[in-house]
């Protein structure tokens, strides 16, 4: 596939630039004057400095969003007008797509190939879809009501209010779009907090929107800063009506607990340990390459990665021979090089965590059929690089098979009967996604139906569409993103009842006695 984004800036010209908070339509310095330096995960080189908000800054942003919402104008803008405005915002973001792709590569370690083929174009498609969905009819009919008398009933969909939105570092641009676009489409106002490692593409996105001058001040606010400072304020502040969080299950649990203090609406997109099941009639070539893509896309730093691969005993040997051969050919390298399959991990901490899990898998008795190592290429010496690991002889109860590693580590589990594979696939606290590979679609569908996961891909993986819902069963989350399902998560439901009889005798009212003469 060829990229339509051809300009590779690669100049890193943003070095030495300092980025402020975006509050009430203005770029504004953090009140304590603190900034943090971002580094390129592939080279360790400093990139830019970014504001570190504290609680007072977060409250300023929340107050701006509250005022913008309560003032109306945005929340009650006619849907068609809001839709046109959002389309214009996407045009502005699209005009800066090469710069955003560059930010994604330099800041998040995304390969240039993936940024320009997937993350940026897909993010634009998703934003445009919400711009289209913004033109919805807020009134929904209710079946005719005749008891106790004829009445006209209607449901009105309204924005929820101020939305606090918290996103992770793995797909910074896409995650920002998944949060901002449906919230704005529904007429809410937003305070977005990107991950501390990767705020740059969200900053570029907000810059592009700001330059249009189309959005009323306070409708969209961007607060960069520490998760354990900005995050709790967004969760407990009574001025915030909803919290939308994407990140780890561990932090998601805290978010839900904190949001409970004011009964905020909560949506959570959390972790995963997704099963990828090969059936014995699968096309070997397709299933092998598809399985490598399922687990190693963005180095396994994807919530939905197919990290547990179930391979039937009947085809185990030829499948594994091919899988190991193909995996050993994956190229780890600098993200800007077109031939690179796997770039760096996000941080030194993440690299150490992955190495610890590799050691743990060996200690648990799994066989490292392909053992991940730090590459020896001097060009990669200052980045957080590691080559892929494939464990065989894995038992589903091993920690490496149950815990989210978030790195290029695949656990292969051999199975004899389909029933056994399905039972083990479901034996996890997570339920985000799954894959099934088979030449028989009916058979694959019957397996898909039995998997406890929010998304199941048959003969492909990582296909996330603007029109279809994405989200988790079990501890992988609460609610759905994308499509009309994603939009509804940002809408309140108001029932309006209109009496059509005026007949006193149809009412359940008090039978108030007439005054005594
Ligand atoms: P994380 O550690 O949970 O952090 C996610 C976000 O929460 C960051 O912005 C973080 O800020 C913030 N945060 C940290 N502490 C907080 C607190 N006490 N209250 C509120 N917010 C807080 O996750 P991550 O390490 O960035 O990302 C990896 C995880 O995200 C994985 O578990 C992955 O599965 C999950 N994920 C899920 C989906 C999905 O759609 N289901 C998509 C992508 C990723 P700082 O960066 O400042 O710490
Ligand atoms: Mg984290």
């Amino acid at each position: 596939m060829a990229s339509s984004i051809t300009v590779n800036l690669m100049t890193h010209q943003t070095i030495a630039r300092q980025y402020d908070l975006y509050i009430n339509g203005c770029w504004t310095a953090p009140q304590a004057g603190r900034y943090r330096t971002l580094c390129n995960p592939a080279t360790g080189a400093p990139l830019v400095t970014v504001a570190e908000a504290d609680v007072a800054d977060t409250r300023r942003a929340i107050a701006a969003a509250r005022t913008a919402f309560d003032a109306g104008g945005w929340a009650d803008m006619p849907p068609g007008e809001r839709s046109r405005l959002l389309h214009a915002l996407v045009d502005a973001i699209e005009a800066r797509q090469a710069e955003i792709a560059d930010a994604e590569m330099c800041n998040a370690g995304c390969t240039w190939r993936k940024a320009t083929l997937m993350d940026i174009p897909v993010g634009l498609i998703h934003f445009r879809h919400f711009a289209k969905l913004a033109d919805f009819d807020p009134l929904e009919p209710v079946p005719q009501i005749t008891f106790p008398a004829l009445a006209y009933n209607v449901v009105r969909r309204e924005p929820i209010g101020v939305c606090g939105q918290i996103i992770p570092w793995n797909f910074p641009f896409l995650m920002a779009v998944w949060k901002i676009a449906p919230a704005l489409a529904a007429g809410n106002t937003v305070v977005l907090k990107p991950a501390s490692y990767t705020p740059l593409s969200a900053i570029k996105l907000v810059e592009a929107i700001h330059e249009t001058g189309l959005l009323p001040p306070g409708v969209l606010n961007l607060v960069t800063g520490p998760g354990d400072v900005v995050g709790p304020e967004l969760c407990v502040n009574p001025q915030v009506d909803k919290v939308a969080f994407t990140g780890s299950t561990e932090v998601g649990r805290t978010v839900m607990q904190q949001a409970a203090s004011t009964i905020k609406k909560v949506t959570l997109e959390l972790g995963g340990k997704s099963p990828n099941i090969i059936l014995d009639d699968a096309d070997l070539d397709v299933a092998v390459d598809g399985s490598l893509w399922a687990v190693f896309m963005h180095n396994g730093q994807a919530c939905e990665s197919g990290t547990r691969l179930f391979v039937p005993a009947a085809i185990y040997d030829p499948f594994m021979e091919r899988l190991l051969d193909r995996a050993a050919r994956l190229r780890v390298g600098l993200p800007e090089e077109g031939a690179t399959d796997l770039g760096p991990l996000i941080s030194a901490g993440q690299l150490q965590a992955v190495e610890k899990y590799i050691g743990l898998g060996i200690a648990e008795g799994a066989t490292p059929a392909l053992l991940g190592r730090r590459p020896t290429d001097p060009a990669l010496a200052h980045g957080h690089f590691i080559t892929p690991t494939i464990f065989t002889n894995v038992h589903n109860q091993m920690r490496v098979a149950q815990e989210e590693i978030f790195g290029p580590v695949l656990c292969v589990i051999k199975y004899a009967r389909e029933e056994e594979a399905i039972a083990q696939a479901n034996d996890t606290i997570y339920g985000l996604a799954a894959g099934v590979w088979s030449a028989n679609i009916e058979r694959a569908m019957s397996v898909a139906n039995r998997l406890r996961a929010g998304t199941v891909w048959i003969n492909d993986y990582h296909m996330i569409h603007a029109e279809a819902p994405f989200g988790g069963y079990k501890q992988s989350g609460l609610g759905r993103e994308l499509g009309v399902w994603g939009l509804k998560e940002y809408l309140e439901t108001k029932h309006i009842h209109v009496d059509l009889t005026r007949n006193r005798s149809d009412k359940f009212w008090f039978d108030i006695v007439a005054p005594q003469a």
Side-chain angles (χ1 to χ4, degrees):
M1 221 190 266
S3 164
S4 60
I5 308 175
T6 47
V7 195
N8 183 346
L9 295 182
M10 280 307 302
T11 53
H12 305 201
Q13 60 190 199
T14 41
I15 288 175
R17 255 206 79 171
Q18 178 169 296
Y19 290 95
D20 285 326
L21 308 169
Y22 186 67
I23 298 175
N24 206 25
C26 301
W27 294 98
T28 160
Q31 58 107 23
R34 273 197 297 274
Y35 290 83
R36 155 195 180 101
T37 301
L38 303 182
C39 293
N40 184 329
T43 61
L47 215 51
V48 294
T49 61
V50 172
E52 286 260 270
D54 59 15
V55 169
D57 294 314
T58 310
R59 287 184 183 156
R60 270 199 294 150
I62 293 170
R66 183 79 257 164
T67 304
F69 185 80
D70 293 344
W74 178 248
D76 44 27
M77 182 178 279
E81 204 177 307
R82 194 155 60 220
S83 170
R84 274 193 300 281
L85 193 151
L86 289 177
H87 277 294
L89 300 188
V90 189
D91 291 341
I93 298 164
E94 188 165 7
R96 292 180 64 169
Q97 59 178 319
E99 199 185 333
I100 295 173
D102 197 44
E104 214 65 338
M105 182 175 68
C106 300
N107 185 201
C110 179
T111 60
W112 181 250
R113 184 181 146 81
K114 187 171 82 70
T116 55
L117 281 178
M118 282 177 57
D119 296 25
I120 311 305
V122 168
L124 291 169
I125 290 169
H126 290 184
F127 209 136
R128 258 192 217 294
H129 189 65
F130 280 115
K132 197 171 107 191
L133 290 183
D135 192 6
F136 65 94
D137 183 352
L139 297 181
E140 270 183 40
V142 171
Q144 192 180 66
I145 286 168
T146 53
F147 176 81
L150 195 63
Y152 169 69
N153 279 249
V154 71
V155 161
R156 205 174 115 84
R157 296 282 190 176
E158 297 179 351
I160 293 173
V162 174
C163 300
Q165 305 188 311
I166 303 170
I167 54 174
W169 46 256
N170 55 347
F171 295 90
F173 175 70
L174 210 54
M175 295 298 104
V177 168
W178 286 16
K179 291 286 177 275
I180 293 172
L184 296 184
N188 300 278
T189 61
V190 165
V191 179
L192 178 75
K193 192 212 100 63
S196 290
Y197 282 123
T198 57
L200 199 50
S201 56
I203 292 172
K204 300 274 165 199
L205 182 159
V206 173
E207 275 185 347
I209 290 177
H210 172 70
E211 283 162 14
T212 66
L214 291 173
L215 216 50
V219 169
L220 174 62
N221 304 275
L222 178 78
V223 176
T224 49
D228 56 1
V229 174
V230 178
E233 185 58 28
L234 290 174
C235 295
V236 301
N237 192 305
Q239 307 267 61
V240 177
D241 300 292
K242 170 180 170 129
V243 177
F245 172 85
T246 299
S248 59
T249 294
E250 189 190 351
V251 177
R253 205 171 278 126
T254 309
V255 164
M256 199 171 171
Q257 279 163 353
Q258 290 176 333
S261 64
T262 49
I263 316 289
K264 290 190 200 330
K265 304 279 176 292
V266 178
T267 42
L268 302 171
E269 296 292 347
L270 308 176
K273 193 75 186 178
S274 297
N276 190 26
I277 304 177
I278 311 298
L279 300 184
D280 56 17
D281 62 359
D283 178 320
L284 268 198
D285 291 347
V286 173
V288 163
D289 281 8
S291 299
L292 291 174
W293 170 245
V295 64
F296 295 135
M297 189 270 287
H298 199 39
N299 275 337
Q301 299 174 114
C303 48
E304 78 278 7
S305 295
T307 46
R308 291 182 298 144
L309 181 63
F310 291 88
V311 182
I315 59 164
Y316 187 82
D317 290 342
F319 185 95
M320 288 309 298
E321 190 183 330
R322 191 170 172 86
L323 185 85
L324 291 167
D325 174 62
R326 302 283 289 171
R329 295 162 192 253
L330 289 170
R331 278 159 306 201
V332 175
L334 292 170
E336 60 263 35
E337 286 168 6
T340 296
D341 298 307
L342 281 72
L345 294 175
I346 188 64
S347 64
Q350 194 64 19
L351 176 57
Q352 282 158 15
V354 169
E355 287 177 329
K356 226 168 135 184
Y357 270 111
I358 295 171
L360 175 69
I362 294 168
E364 286 182 301
T367 306
L370 186 68
L371 181 61
R373 297 175 193 283
R374 296 192 186 199
T376 48
D377 180 352
L380 308 181
H382 302 291
H384 315 304
F385 294 92
I386 188 160
T387 62
T389 294
I390 297 182
F391 278 126
T392 55
N393 293 317
V394 175
H395 187 282
N396 195 47
Q397 292 311 318
M398 287 178 179
R399 281 183 58 195
V400 284
Q402 288 290 326
E403 296 175 19
E404 191 176 44
I405 299 174
F406 235 57
V409 180
L410 175 64
C411 290
V412 180
I413 300 172
K414 190 179 184 174
Y415 72 89
R417 292 177 310 111
E418 207 172 286
E419 291 299 310
E420 197 186 296
I422 294 168
Q424 289 184 53
N426 286 332
D427 188 6
T428 159
I429 62 164
Y430 298 112
L432 190 57
V436 183
W437 301 79
S438 171
N440 180 337
I441 296 305
E442 272 179 13
R443 193 179 164 205
M445 282 291 285
S446 86
V447 173
N449 292 345
R450 298 176 61 195
L451 293 172
R452 306 269 300 145
T455 297
V456 183
W457 292 289
I458 294 174
N459 295 333
D460 206 338
Y461 211 92
H462 297 300
M463 301 310 299
I464 296 177
H465 306 288
E467 300 84 354
F470 182 76
Y473 280 34
K474 300 192 267 180
Q475 294 186 38
S476 285
L478 206 60
R480 291 293 180 273
E481 299 201 279
L482 301 174
V484 292
W485 299 268
L487 184 71
K488 280 187 179 164
E489 301 283 358
Y490 285 94
L491 289 165
E492 271 290 12
T493 305
K494 177 180 283 174
H495 165 216
I496 301 176
H497 166 103
V498 185
D499 175 76
L500 293 179
T501 67
R502 301 197 193 181
N503 188 351
R504 188 82 178 64
S505 66
D506 291 330
K507 314 284 184 206
F508 296 125
W509 300 352
F510 295 117
D511 219 357
I512 300 173
V513 292
Q516 306 264 321

